[in-house]
Amino acid sequence: MKIDAEKIRALLAEYRTGFSLPQGLYLDDEVFQADLQAVWQREWLFAAAAVEIPKPGDRITMELGTNSIIILRDAQHQVRAFHNSCRHRGSRICLTERSHGGMLVCPYHQWSYALDGSLRGARQMPKDFDKSSHGLVPVHATEVCGLIYVCLADTPPDIETFRQQITPYVGPHVAGPMKVAAQQTIIEEGNWKLVIENNRECYHCIGNHPELLISLVDFPVPNTPSAAAEFETMLARKTGHWDRLGLPYRAVNGGRGVRCIRLPFHEGTVSFTMDGGPAVKKLLAGFTDPDLGSVRMYHAPNNWNHFVADHTVHFRVLPLSAGRTEVRTTWLVHAEAEEGVDYDVKRLTEVWEVTNDQDRTLVQNNHLGIASDVYRPGPYAPSEAPLADFCDWYTERMTGFWGAPAGRMPQAAE
Amino acid sequence: MKIDAEKIRALLAEYRTGFSLPQGLYLDDEVFQADLQAVWQREWLFAAAAVEIPKPGDRITMELGTNSIIILRDAQHQVRAFHNSCRHRGSRICLTERSHGGMLVCPYHQWSYALDGSLRGARQMPKDFDKSSHGLVPVHATEVCGLIYVCLADTPPDIETFRQQITPYVGPHVAGPMKVAAQQTIIEEGNWKLVIENNRECYHCIGNHPELLISLVDFPVPNTPSAAAEFETMLARKTGHWDRLGLPYRAVNGGRGVRCIRLPFHEGTVSFTMDGGPAVKKLLAGFTDPDLGSVRMYHAPNNWNHFVADHTVHFRVLPLSAGRTEVRTTWLVHAEAEEGVDYDVKRLTEVWEVTNDQDRTLVQNNHLGIASDVYRPGPYAPSEAPLADFCDWYTERMTGFWGAPAGRMPQAAE
Amino acid sequence: MKIDAEKIRALLAEYRTGFSLPQGLYLDDEVFQADLQAVWQREWLFAAAAVEIPKPGDRITMELGTNSIIILRDAQHQVRAFHNSCRHRGSRICLTERSHGGMLVCPYHQWSYALDGSLRGARQMPKDFDKSSHGLVPVHATEVCGLIYVCLADTPPDIETFRQQITPYVGPHVAGPMKVAAQQTIIEEGNWKLVIENNRECYHCIGNHPELLISLVDFPVPNTPSAAAEFETMLARKTGHWDRLGLPYRAVNGGRGVRCIRLPFHEGTVSFTMDGGPAVKKLLAGFTDPDLGSVRMYHAPNNWNHFVADHTVHFRVLPLSAGRTEVRTTWLVHAEAEEGVDYDVKRLTEVWEVTNDQDRTLVQNNHLGIASDVYRPGPYAPSEAPLADFCDWYTERMTGFWGAPAGRMPQAAE
C-alpha cells in the first residue's frame, strides 16, 4: 500500500497532548501501514521469554504485519533472529510457531541454512551459484533480563539504557532458573494503540476489574487527601522492608516509552490470585519473602510485565490490522516448581485471564465508538497522564518518520 | 475514505430515467460511502416502532455505517436520539440493542448522562472540567403515526408534509394500543438500492411469490383491457365500503419519495396469511370489519409498511456495505391480543417470512449479475415505473450533494 | 477498480528472466485486476471437459472475477457460451453450476432466451420494445480434443495452431466415448501464478510428493551423467514401442504458452495409482496396451492435463483474488467403464488428491513468504526453466496490454 505522507502529517497536526488521538490515527488502514513502518519496524519489540527457546536449535516464529520472524538459539546459545523467507523463491521456512532443528530447511526445495543464517545446501543449483550472497536476512535480537526483544530496523535504537535501568528491578526476580507455566493468546477487535492506552490507566479498573483489584492497588492519582495519606502510609510500610532486602522501588525515569517501578499489593495480599494469596509455593530465585509487591515494567510499543515474588507475567501486543490486535500473556515460574504440587495453573492464571477478557471488551467498544462521525478527541483524566505520555511517544515517532506537520515545529525528542 | 466527487458525478451523468442505474452506483465502495453522506445521513430514516420503547428509560440502538444511534424515551415520554459515543474517549455506551435505565452510563469509566443527553457524572475529572460542553451529540427524532424516524443531518428536511399526508390513511389503524408480536432480521447480499427496487415492483411477483399473491393483488399496470376492467370493478366494490367507513384510499401525491394508498386484497381474503383469512382475532383500534384492504405506505430511502385491519407490518432497510443490506420486518398487533388465543405467530408471519426469503435470493442474484463486465442499464417495464421514481429520487439527492454532472443541468427538485 | 498503468509498468520493469517475479506482481490487488484484463479476459481458458455437457440444453457456469459465464450445448450439438446476466436488469440467469433446459429463463422476471442467446420472451414490455437488441452477450467457445476452451476477448488469439499441434498426441486418447468419473475442487491460498509455477517444475517433487513419484519420473534435468544415461535408456525402450503404435512423443514447439510431450512412467508402472498399476480395466479408445506413458499437455494460463492409456486428468485454474486460487481436477474414463467393476474412484483419484493437497500447502507458504519485506526475486534452478518460460509469457502479455516499461524495449513476441 502506497502511503500518503501528507495525510499522515495532517492527522498528526490535529493531535493535542492531553487528549485522545484523532480518529484517523486509530482507524485508518493507511495509518496502520504507517504505524508498521514508523514504529513497529523501527523499535525494539518484545518477542518471547528466553526460556521459550532454552536449547540450541529451539526456534519460534513471530508474525508482524506480513513479515514472519524466526527467533532461535544457536549452537553458541546465543539468540538470533531471521526473516522467515527462503532466498530461492521466497517460501516460508518454519511453518509452525515452535520447532527445533540443527538446520533450517526450506520445505519447498530443501535449501538448507545453518543456525547463523548462512546457506549451506542448494541442490541442483549451478556450480557458479554464489551461496554466500543467499543467506537468510538477519533481524536484530537481544536478551534483557530473560526477555527477548527484536528490532527490524537496519540500525536499531539504543537498548542499553533500558537494560541498565530495569536490571536492578527485574534482575533479582529472574536470577534463578525459570520455565513457562502457561500462555494465553487472545485477539482484541481494536487498534493496537487502544490496547496500550487501556493498559496505561487504571481509571477503568474500579468499574471493570473486581478480580484484579483483589490485590492490585488502584491508586495512581489519589482522589482525596485522606486516600493519598493512606497510600503513602502503605508505601512507607513496604519501602522500609524493600530497603532492607536491597530491592529498588522508585520509579525509573525511562522517558515516555519506558516505565519501571515496584508497587505494593493491598495489605494482606501478595500475588495475582483470587484470594490474594501466593500462586506458587516455590518462590523465584532465592526469595524467601512472598511479599515483594510487583515490579511493573513497561516498554513501548508492545510490552508490559509484572514481576512478583512467586511468578512473572509478560504481555506481548502485536498489531494485526487497524482494528485487530493480538495480545499474548505468558506466565513464568521457578523451573523446579512442580505443577499440581507447587502451583495450580488455573489459580496462577485466572485473575489475568478474566482481566484480559474484560479489557478485550472495553477495547472493542472503544474502537467501535471512535468510528462514530461525531467522535472528537476527548480529555484524559489526571489519572490518565500515562496515556498522554504514550500518545506523545507515538506521535513523536510518527513525526520523526513521516515528517512534521506543516506550520508546526517538531516536538523535542524526549 | 476520501470520495472522488468527480467520479460520482461521472456515474450520475450516465443515468437515464427509465433504465436501471449504471453499474458503479450499485457496486462501488466509494459510491456506497457517497450514498451514506448524500442520502443516509441527510434523510429521515425509519428506526423502530414507537411501541418498541414504550416506557421512559427504554432504549434501542441502530447501526448506520460506522455510526451507532441510541433511541430512547425520556422522562417526559418523548422520543430522543443520540450518537452512541462517550465524550471522554469515544467508547460505545449502550452495548446491546435493547436496554433500559434512568441514566446512560459509559461502561469504560462510568461517565453518566441523563436521558436528555447532558453529562451529569465524570468522576476524577478536574474541578474546572466543563461538563456542559460534553453532552451526548443529539440526533433528530420524531414519531409519525407510531413510527420513529431519525435524521442525522444538522438541518433535517421537512417531515411535516409526510405526517399530514399519511395520517388520514395510517392513523385509524394505529389509533389503539399496540405491541410487537414478532420481528425478523435478515441480511441480503445486495446493494440497498436493489432491495428498494425489488420492493417497488410486483413484476417479479407472479414468478416468485405464490404465498404473497394469495391475498395481494398484483395489478399495478393491467396488461389487458379485460384485466383492467376486472380490477376497476373490484376497486369500486371496496371503495364504496371504505367511503362509508370514512377511510381514505386514493393515492397520495407525496412526490417520488413517498407513496400511500389503500388497495383491496383478492376477493375473499383479508390479510397476509396462507389462506387469506385473518391473522389476528382482535382487530386493531376499534375496527369491527376485518376487510379493510391494506394501506401501503412507503418512505424513501428505507421504509415500507402494510396497515391491515388486524395487524401492521413494517420494513426497515439499513445498508451494511455496497453489497450487503439488513432488512428488518416488525409485526404489530393490538396490545390486548393474546398470543395463542387471538393470534399465532407463525400464521401471522409466515407469508412475509417466505416472501422476504424469496426477495433475498432475487436481490443477491441481481447484484451478482450486475457485477458482470457486460452489464448495461436495462429498460424498466411499464409496471416498474416506481423504480424510475426511486432512481430519480436517488440521483437527485446525489446530484444535490455531490454536484451536477458537467454539461448537464441539475434536475428540478420534485 | 481503477488501475494505475504506470505502477504496473514499473513492476514489469523489475522483472528479470530467470528469476521469480517482483513481489507486487504476486501480491498486489491492483495487479490482480490488471492480470484479469491482460491475461484472463484475453486468452483462451480451459473451462470444462466436453463430456460435462453431453446433451443439447446441458449447461454449466464458470466464474471468472465478477463475470459468470454460461457454457451450453445448443440444439445443433455445438458448444456456445454467454455472459450470465439478463439484459433486463442484469440478474444472473443460471443460478447453479449445472443445469439443463431448452430455454434460458431469468428467474427474476422470466425474460426467456433461446440456446443461441436470442431474447424470445419479455412479458409486459411495450410493443415497440426491440427484442433483437437484447440478446445475451456471447463469449467465444471451442472444443479441442474433448476440452472446452472459452475466450472473453472480442477478438480471440489464434487457437488453431494449438489444436493442430496437440491433436496427434491427445487425439488417440480421447477418440472413444468418455465420461466424468470424478471431480475435485480445492482452494489454494496463493496467487494463481504461484499455482502455475508450482506445476511447471518437479524440483519440489522429491521432497514433497512420494505418492506421485511412484509412477511419475522426476527427470527434467538429470543431475548426474549416470542418471541422464539411465533416463535416455528408459526413453529409448519406450519410444520404439510408441513408434510401432504410431503415437507421437517428441516435445511440441508450442511456444512459451503450450507444451505437449509424451513421457514414460517408471519401469513397471503404467498409471497414477498408489502401486503404479492400472486405474481402470477398460482402456480408453481402442487401446489394448496399458503402458503408453502419459501425454502431458499444458496450455497457459490455466490448464494442464495427463492423458494415460486408461484415463485422463484435467486441471483447471481460476483466480479468485490476489491471494486465492481455485483448482479443479477432473478425471475422465471410458464411457462404458463401470464403477466398482472396471474402476474404483478412490484408486483412480487418490494420487492426485494427495498431490494436490501437498501443492496447496506449498503454494500457500510460498505466497506467505513472498509477502515478507525482505523478499527479492530469487534465481530459478536449471530444472525450473519452464517457470522462466511462464514468467516470460506472462510479462509479455502484461507488457502488450499495459505498455512497455519506460526506457526498455518491449520483448519480441515468442
Side-chain angles (χ1 to χ4, degrees):
Chain A
M1 181 189 282
K2 199 175 169 304
I3 292 175
D4 178 355
E6 195 52 57
K7 168 175 149 183
I8 306 296
R9 287 193 288 268
L11 283 166
L12 291 168
E14 290 178 35
Y15 170 65
R16 286 186 295 160
T17 294
F19 290 79
S20 57
L21 296 169
Q23 185 184 56
L25 294 181
Y26 292 118
L27 305 185
D28 192 279
D29 290 337
E30 218 169 319
V31 170
F32 179 72
Q33 297 298 328
D35 284 2
L36 289 181
Q37 293 186 36
V39 176
W40 293 88
Q41 294 173 4
R42 290 169 58 96
E43 299 294 323
W44 285 100
L45 310 175
F46 172 57
V51 294
E52 293 187 59
I53 47 170
K55 295 189 300 294
D58 285 346
R59 55 209 188 194
I60 56 175
T61 57
M62 179 176 96
E63 311 297 307
L64 182 63
T66 59
N67 289 302
S68 176
I69 312 300
I70 302 168
I71 301 153
L72 58 79
R73 194 168 296 277
D74 72 10
Q76 290 73 42
H77 291 259
Q78 294 302 302
V79 171
R80 287 177 180 264
F82 302 98
H83 282 277
N84 188 10
S85 179
C86 182
R87 296 296 305 276
H88 174 217
R89 279 165 53 198
S91 176
R92 289 255 174 118
I93 295 167
C94 293
L95 306 185
T96 56
E97 191 177 355
R98 292 168 200 280
S99 57
H100 178 87
M103 296 285 282
L104 294 155
V105 181
C106 180
Y108 207 164
H109 306 91
Q110 293 75 53
W111 284 28
S112 306
Y113 303 86
L115 296 182
D116 64 0
S118 60
L119 178 62
R120 297 296 171 87
R123 62 189 181 84
Q124 290 192 17
M125 292 303 286
K127 285 194 177 139
D128 62 354
F129 172 63
D130 179 19
K131 285 205 197 91
S132 70
S133 64
H134 287 83
L136 293 180
V137 179
V139 170
H140 296 279
T142 191
E143 249 184 272
V144 180
C145 292
L147 305 178
I148 299 170
Y149 291 85
V150 300
C151 179
L152 277 72
D154 292 338
T155 308
D158 170 52
I159 195 166
E160 295 313 316
T161 306
F162 168 67
R163 188 194 308 277
Q164 290 162 23
Q165 288 183 314
I166 73 158
T167 299
Y169 295 75
V170 174
H173 290 257
V174 300
M178 299 173 78
K179 69 173 180 183
V180 177
Q183 198 163 61
Q184 179 216 42
T185 304
I186 63 173
I187 306 296
E188 305 196 11
E189 301 289 336
N191 187 267
W192 68 271
K193 296 184 288 290
L194 295 175
V195 173
I196 298 296
E197 288 190 51
N198 178 70
N199 170 257
R200 301 318 299 145
E201 49 95 354
C202 217
Y203 183 20
H204 70 273
C205 290
I206 190 72
N208 290 281
H209 296 321
E211 300 83 0
L212 181 64
L213 294 188
I214 290 167
S215 46
L216 187 130
V217 178
D218 169 24
F219 263 114
V221 177
N223 274 329
T224 63
S226 65
E230 184 188 339
F231 184 64
E232 287 303 320
T233 302
M234 183 197 299
L235 253 189
R237 196 158 48 216
K238 296 294 173 188
T239 53
H241 181 55
W242 297 338
D243 280 333
R244 283 190 295 279
L245 292 170
L247 296 174
Y249 48 86
R250 295 197 191 286
V252 163
N253 179 8
R256 294 192 185 99
V258 170
R259 177 177 161 91
C260 192
I261 192 171
R262 183 184 302 272
L263 285 172
F265 285 118
H266 276 300
E267 194 60 30
T269 68
V270 300
S271 196
F272 294 109
T273 54
M274 286 296 194
D275 58 16
V280 187
K281 285 183 193 161
K282 187 164 186 56
L283 300 186
L284 293 176
F287 293 145
T288 53
D289 185 346
D291 187 11
L292 302 179
S294 95
V295 171
R296 305 182 190 180
M297 188 273 278
Y298 159 75
H299 185 271
N302 87 323
N303 174 229
W304 65 90
N305 314 265
H306 284 272
F307 299 84
V308 195
D310 62 350
H311 74 284
T312 65
V313 56
H314 310 278
F315 298 82
R316 183 186 79 175
V317 173
L318 290 177
L320 302 177
S321 68
R324 302 191 87 213
T325 305
E326 181 192 290
V327 178
R328 169 170 291 184
T329 307
T330 305
W331 289 261
L332 304 185
V333 298
H334 195 292
E336 288 156 18
E338 194 178 341
E339 186 181 341
V341 176
D342 293 311
Y343 67 97
D344 174 75
V345 171
K346 181 168 184 296
R347 177 174 170 85
L348 174 67
T349 59
E350 61 192 339
V351 165
W352 279 113
E353 286 200 350
V354 68
T355 301
N356 284 346
D357 195 54
Q358 292 152 351
D359 284 332
R360 187 185 54 71
T361 301
L362 295 172
V363 165
Q364 175 179 325
N365 288 309
N366 196 3
H367 189 93
L368 285 170
I370 285 173
S372 167
D373 287 335
V374 302
Y375 168 79
R376 299 290 176 275
Y380 290 131
S383 60
E384 293 175 306
L387 283 72
D389 282 346
F390 168 68
C391 292
D392 282 351
W393 181 91
Y394 165 73
T395 54
E396 281 170 16
R397 264 127 201 94
M398 291 291 274
T399 302
F401 191 87
W402 296 105
R408 192 173 138 176
M409 296 297 292
Q411 294 180 264
E414 64 183 50
Chain B
M1 182 189 281
K2 199 175 170 305
I3 293 174
D4 177 356
E6 196 52 57
K7 168 174 150 185
I8 305 297
R9 287 193 288 267
L11 283 166
L12 291 168
E14 290 178 35
Y15 170 66
R16 284 186 297 159
T17 293
F19 290 80
S20 57
L21 295 170
Q23 184 183 55
L25 293 181
Y26 292 118
L27 305 185
D28 192 278
D29 291 337
E30 217 168 320
V31 170
F32 179 72
Q33 297 298 329
D35 284 2
L36 289 181
Q37 293 186 37
V39 176
W40 294 88
Q41 294 173 5
R42 289 168 58 97
E43 299 293 324
W44 284 99
L45 309 175
F46 172 57
V51 295
E52 293 187 58
I53 46 170
K55 294 188 301 294
D58 285 347
R59 54 207 189 196
I60 55 176
T61 56
M62 179 176 96
E63 311 297 306
L64 181 63
T66 60
N67 290 301
S68 176
I69 312 300
I70 302 168
I71 301 154
L72 59 78
R73 193 168 297 275
D74 71 12
Q76 290 73 42
H77 291 259
Q78 295 301 304
V79 170
R80 288 177 179 264
F82 302 97
H83 281 277
N84 188 10
S85 179
C86 182
R87 295 297 304 277
H88 174 217
R89 280 164 52 198
S91 176
R92 290 255 174 119
I93 295 168
C94 293
L95 306 184
T96 55
E97 192 178 354
R98 292 168 201 280
S99 56
H100 178 86
M103 296 284 281
L104 295 155
V105 181
C106 179
Y108 208 163
H109 305 91
Q110 293 75 53
W111 284 28
S112 306
Y113 303 86
L115 296 182
D116 64 0
S118 60
L119 178 60
R120 298 296 172 87
R123 62 188 181 87
Q124 289 192 17
M125 292 301 287
K127 287 196 176 138
D128 63 353
F129 172 64
D130 178 19
K131 286 204 194 91
S132 69
S133 63
H134 287 84
L136 293 179
V137 179
V139 170
H140 297 279
T142 191
E143 248 184 273
V144 180
C145 293
L147 304 179
I148 298 170
Y149 291 85
V150 298
C151 179
L152 278 71
D154 291 337
T155 307
D158 170 51
I159 195 167
E160 295 312 316
T161 306
F162 168 68
R163 187 196 307 278
Q164 289 162 23
Q165 288 183 316
I166 72 158
T167 298
Y169 295 75
V170 174
H173 290 256
V174 300
M178 299 174 78
K179 68 174 181 183
V180 176
Q183 198 163 61
Q184 179 216 43
T185 304
I186 62 172
I187 305 297
E188 304 196 10
E189 301 289 335
N191 187 267
W192 69 270
K193 295 183 288 289
L194 296 175
V195 173
I196 298 295
E197 288 190 51
N198 178 69
N199 169 258
R200 302 317 300 144
E201 49 96 354
C202 218
Y203 182 21
H204 71 271
C205 290
I206 191 72
N208 290 281
H209 296 320
E211 300 83 359
L212 181 64
L213 294 187
I214 289 167
S215 44
L216 187 130
V217 179
D218 170 24
F219 263 114
V221 178
N223 275 329
T224 63
S226 66
E230 185 189 337
F231 183 64
E232 288 302 319
T233 304
M234 183 198 299
L235 253 188
R237 198 158 48 216
K238 297 294 173 187
T239 53
H241 180 55
W242 296 339
D243 280 334
R244 283 189 297 279
L245 292 170
L247 296 174
Y249 47 85
R250 292 194 195 289
V252 163
N253 180 7
R256 295 191 184 98
V258 171
R259 178 178 160 90
C260 192
I261 192 170
R262 183 183 302 273
L263 286 171
F265 285 118
H266 277 301
E267 195 59 31
T269 68
V270 299
S271 196
F272 294 108
T273 55
M274 287 296 195
D275 57 17
V280 186
K281 285 183 192 161
K282 185 162 188 58
L283 300 186
L284 293 176
F287 293 146
T288 53
D289 184 346
D291 187 10
L292 303 180
S294 94
V295 172
R296 305 182 190 181
M297 188 272 278
Y298 159 74
H299 185 271
N302 86 323
N303 173 230
W304 65 88
N305 313 265
H306 284 272
F307 299 84
V308 195
D310 62 349
H311 75 283
T312 65
V313 56
H314 310 278
F315 298 81
R316 184 186 78 175
V317 173
L318 289 177
L320 302 178
S321 68
R324 302 192 86 211
T325 306
E326 180 191 290
V327 178
R328 169 169 292 184
T329 308
T330 304
W331 290 262
L332 303 186
V333 298
H334 195 292
E336 288 156 18
E338 196 178 341
E339 186 180 340
V341 175
D342 293 310
Y343 68 98
D344 175 75
V345 170
K346 182 168 183 295
R347 177 174 170 85
L348 173 67
T349 59
E350 63 192 338
V351 166
W352 279 113
E353 286 200 350
V354 69
T355 302
N356 284 347
D357 195 54
Q358 291 153 351
D359 284 331
R360 187 185 56 70
T361 301
L362 294 171
V363 164
Q364 174 180 325
N365 288 309
N366 196 3
H367 189 94
L368 285 170
I370 286 173
S372 167
D373 286 335
V374 302
Y375 168 80
R376 298 291 176 274
Y380 289 131
S383 61
E384 293 175 307
L387 282 71
D389 282 345
F390 168 67
C391 291
D392 283 351
W393 180 90
Y394 164 72
T395 53
E396 282 170 15
R397 264 129 201 93
M398 291 291 273
T399 302
F401 191 88
W402 296 105
R408 194 173 136 177
M409 296 296 291
Q411 294 179 263
E414 65 183 45
Chain C
M1 183 189 281
K2 198 173 170 306
I3 293 174
D4 177 356
E6 196 51 57
K7 168 174 149 184
I8 305 298
R9 286 193 289 267
L11 283 166
L12 291 168
E14 290 178 35
Y15 171 65
R16 286 186 296 160
T17 294
F19 290 79
S20 56
L21 295 170
Q23 184 184 54
L25 293 181
Y26 293 117
L27 305 185
D28 192 280
D29 291 336
E30 217 168 320
V31 169
F32 178 74
Q33 297 298 328
D35 284 2
L36 289 180
Q37 292 187 37
V39 176
W40 293 89
Q41 294 173 3
R42 289 168 58 96
E43 299 294 323
W44 284 99
L45 309 176
F46 172 58
V51 294
E52 293 186 58
I53 46 170
K55 296 188 300 294
D58 285 347
R59 55 207 189 195
I60 55 175
T61 57
M62 179 175 96
E63 311 298 308
L64 182 63
T66 59
N67 290 301
S68 177
I69 311 301
I70 302 168
I71 301 153
L72 58 78
R73 194 168 295 276
D74 71 12
Q76 290 73 43
H77 291 258
Q78 294 302 303
V79 170
R80 288 179 180 262
F82 302 98
H83 282 277
N84 188 11
S85 179
C86 182
R87 296 297 304 277
H88 173 218
R89 280 165 51 199
S91 176
R92 290 255 173 118
I93 295 166
C94 293
L95 306 186
T96 56
E97 193 178 355
R98 292 167 200 281
S99 55
H100 178 87
M103 296 285 281
L104 295 156
V105 182
C106 180
Y108 208 163
H109 305 91
Q110 292 75 53
W111 284 30
S112 305
Y113 303 87
L115 296 183
D116 64 0
S118 59
L119 178 61
R120 298 295 172 86
R123 63 189 180 86
Q124 291 192 16
M125 292 302 286
K127 287 193 174 140
D128 62 354
F129 173 65
D130 178 21
K131 285 205 194 89
S132 70
S133 64
H134 287 84
L136 292 179
V137 179
V139 170
H140 297 279
T142 191
E143 247 183 273
V144 180
C145 292
L147 304 179
I148 298 170
Y149 291 85
V150 299
C151 179
L152 278 71
D154 292 337
T155 307
D158 170 53
I159 195 166
E160 295 312 316
T161 305
F162 168 68
R163 188 194 308 278
Q164 289 162 23
Q165 287 183 316
I166 73 158
T167 298
Y169 295 76
V170 173
H173 291 257
V174 300
M178 298 173 79
K179 68 173 181 184
V180 177
Q183 198 164 60
Q184 179 217 42
T185 304
I186 62 172
I187 305 297
E188 305 197 11
E189 301 289 337
N191 187 267
W192 69 271
K193 295 184 288 289
L194 296 176
V195 173
I196 298 295
E197 288 190 50
N198 178 69
N199 169 258
R200 301 318 298 146
E201 49 95 355
C202 218
Y203 183 19
H204 71 271
C205 291
I206 190 72
N208 290 281
H209 296 321
E211 300 84 358
L212 181 64
L213 295 187
I214 289 167
S215 45
L216 188 130
V217 179
D218 169 25
F219 263 113
V221 177
N223 275 329
T224 62
S226 66
E230 184 189 338
F231 183 66
E232 288 303 321
T233 304
M234 183 197 300
L235 253 190
R237 196 158 50 215
K238 297 294 173 187
T239 54
H241 180 55
W242 298 338
D243 281 333
R244 284 191 296 279
L245 292 169
L247 296 173
Y249 47 86
R250 294 196 193 286
V252 163
N253 179 9
R256 294 192 185 98
V258 171
R259 177 178 161 90
C260 192
I261 192 170
R262 184 184 302 273
L263 285 171
F265 286 118
H266 276 300
E267 194 61 29
T269 68
V270 299
S271 196
F272 294 109
T273 54
M274 286 296 193
D275 57 16
V280 186
K281 286 183 192 161
K282 186 163 187 58
L283 300 185
L284 293 176
F287 294 146
T288 53
D289 184 346
D291 187 10
L292 303 179
S294 95
V295 172
R296 306 183 190 181
M297 188 272 278
Y298 158 76
H299 185 271
N302 86 322
N303 174 229
W304 65 89
N305 314 265
H306 284 273
F307 299 83
V308 194
D310 61 351
H311 74 283
T312 65
V313 56
H314 311 278
F315 298 82
R316 183 186 79 175
V317 173
L318 289 177
L320 302 178
S321 69
R324 302 191 87 211
T325 305
E326 180 192 290
V327 178
R328 169 170 292 184
T329 307
T330 305
W331 290 261
L332 303 185
V333 298
H334 195 292
E336 289 157 17
E338 194 177 341
E339 185 181 340
V341 177
D342 292 310
Y343 68 97
D344 174 75
V345 171
K346 181 169 185 294
R347 177 175 171 84
L348 173 67
T349 59
E350 62 193 338
V351 166
W352 278 113
E353 285 199 349
V354 68
T355 301
N356 284 347
D357 195 54
Q358 291 152 351
D359 284 331
R360 187 184 55 72
T361 301
L362 294 171
V363 165
Q364 174 179 325
N365 288 309
N366 196 3
H367 189 93
L368 285 171
I370 286 173
S372 167
D373 286 335
V374 303
Y375 168 79
R376 299 290 176 275
Y380 290 130
S383 60
E384 293 175 307
L387 283 70
D389 282 346
F390 167 68
C391 292
D392 283 351
W393 180 90
Y394 164 74
T395 53
E396 282 170 15
R397 265 129 200 93
M398 291 291 273
T399 301
F401 191 89
W402 295 105
R408 192 173 138 177
M409 296 296 292
Q411 294 179 261
E414 66 183 46

